[in-house]
Amino acid sequence: MLTSEILNTFRELLDEAVASADSEPTAMNLSTADAAGRVSSRIVLLKGVDERGFRFFTNYDSDKGAQLQAHPQVALCFHWKAVREGVQVRVEGAARRLLAEESDAYFASRARGSQIGAWASLQSQTLADRATFEQRVAHYEHEFEGRDVPRPPHWGGFVVEADLIEFWYGAKFRLHERVRWSRHGQTWTHRLLYP
């Protein structure tokens, strides 16, 4: 569980990023590893944060979903260049699936086109040509015509339960400020790090 001090610090920085010139302030780099230890990174969008951790959503059958099942330890990194002198927030911890009800609620809030896309995309699988994907989109548009689009069983959310968070504040001459929080059991401690 995140402490109120950690949550408040993160939320304050996120609010600054939202108010800044950053076009995608909720973008975060997600790094995962497969069963053999090969690391992959990609940008995903933060869809919520609370005392449990940082939430995002994906296709469970994608490469990322398979890696999260094989090796739940992940790293996240936010980078807000337009906040102060530049800010990074680094997060490490274990990714756990959200409850089905939580994934259902978020899925219902998505734009209908995004809902259809979740059914049509065989994420990370080989696509013969764009026309094949467009045919799949048309198929699911027809299948769900006139009714709500249910959440696909292969799609849902994860929460990253952090055990390490670092707030990195940029400064001139690379004299950055780094504050690292570490969780040991239910207790969080923090220390400064050299830049």
Side-chain angles (χ1 to χ4, degrees), residues 103-112 115:
S103 291
D104 288 342
Y106 175 70
F107 189 81
S109 76
R110 300 181 89 206
R112 186 173 181 87
Q115 293 173 334

Side-chain angles (χ1 to χ4, degrees), residues 4 46 57 61 64 72 96 112 119 133 144 158 172:
S4 59
L46 176 72
F57 293 83
D61 295 334
K64 147 179 11 92
R96 310 276 185 231
R112 186 173 181 87
W119 281 95
F133 180 51
F144 297 119
F158 286 91
K172 291 179 181 176

Side-chain angles (χ1 to χ4, degrees), residues 161-180:
E161 299 171 345
D163 55 30
L164 184 148
I165 297 179
E166 181 181 316
F167 296 104
W168 181 102
Y169 303 93
K172 291 179 181 176
F173 310 114
R174 302 194 57 78
L175 304 177
H176 314 308
E177 179 182 343
R178 297 174 63 189
V179 182
R180 179 170 291 180

Side-chain angles (χ1 to χ4, degrees), residues 16-29:
E16 289 183 43
V18 169
S20 77
D22 195 319
S23 62
E24 198 64 80
T26 62
M28 58 186 184
N29 185 75

Side-chain angles (χ1 to χ4, degrees), residues 108-124:
S109 76
R110 300 181 89 206
R112 186 173 181 87
S114 296
Q115 293 173 334
I116 295 293
W119 281 95
S121 177
L122 302 174
Q123 191 173 356
S124 302

Side-chain angles (χ1 to χ4, degrees), residues 70-192:
H71 190 81
Q73 288 300 125
V74 303
L76 305 173
C77 186
F78 298 85
H79 184 206
W80 298 310
K81 293 170 75 172
V83 173
R84 304 179 189 186
E85 296 288 325
V87 172
Q88 293 183 63
V89 179
R90 298 181 53 239
V91 178
E92 295 178 10
R96 310 276 185 231
R97 277 195 189 194
L98 291 174
L99 296 174
E101 301 81 48
E102 294 175 285
S103 291
D104 288 342
Y106 175 70
F107 189 81
S109 76
R110 300 181 89 206
R112 186 173 181 87
S114 296
Q115 293 173 334
I116 295 293
W119 281 95
S121 177
L122 302 174
Q123 191 173 356
S124 302
Q125 296 184 30
T126 300
L127 175 61
D129 52 49
R130 184 70 184 183
T132 300
F133 180 51
E134 291 169 358
Q135 289 167 0
R136 289 183 59 83
V137 169
H139 167 81
Y140 286 107
E141 285 174 339
H142 177 72
E143 181 171 331
F144 297 119
E145 187 175 353
R147 62 187 178 105
D148 290 342
V149 180
R151 178 177 63 88
H154 60 266
W155 190 97
F158 286 91
V159 59
V160 176
E161 299 171 345
D163 55 30
L164 184 148
I165 297 179
E166 181 181 316
F167 296 104
W168 181 102
Y169 303 93
K172 291 179 181 176
F173 310 114
R174 302 194 57 78
L175 304 177
H176 314 308
E177 179 182 343
R178 297 174 63 189
V179 182
R180 179 170 291 180
W181 289 83
S182 301
R183 181 168 55 86
H184 309 279
Q186 297 305 312
T187 304
W188 284 89
T189 59
H190 69 279
R191 58 196 167 100
L192 296 178

Side-chain angles (χ1 to χ4, degrees), residues 8-78:
N8 290 342
T9 300
F10 179 80
R11 286 175 172 155
E12 178 183 312
L13 292 169
L14 180 59
D15 287 346
E16 289 183 43
V18 169
S20 77
D22 195 319
S23 62
E24 198 64 80
T26 62
M28 58 186 184
N29 185 75
L30 167 66
S31 295
T32 57
D34 65 16
R38 184 179 178 94
V39 177
S40 297
S41 289
R42 80 287 289 153
I43 302 299
V44 299
L45 299 181
L46 176 72
K47 292 300 180 180
V49 61
D50 58 24
E51 64 279 349
R52 292 182 304 159
F54 302 81
R55 291 188 302 282
F56 65 94
F57 293 83
T58 191
N59 183 318
Y60 293 140
D61 295 334
S62 65
D63 287 348
K64 147 179 11 92
Q67 290 167 0
L68 290 166
Q69 296 296 336
H71 190 81
Q73 288 300 125
V74 303
L76 305 173
C77 186
F78 298 85

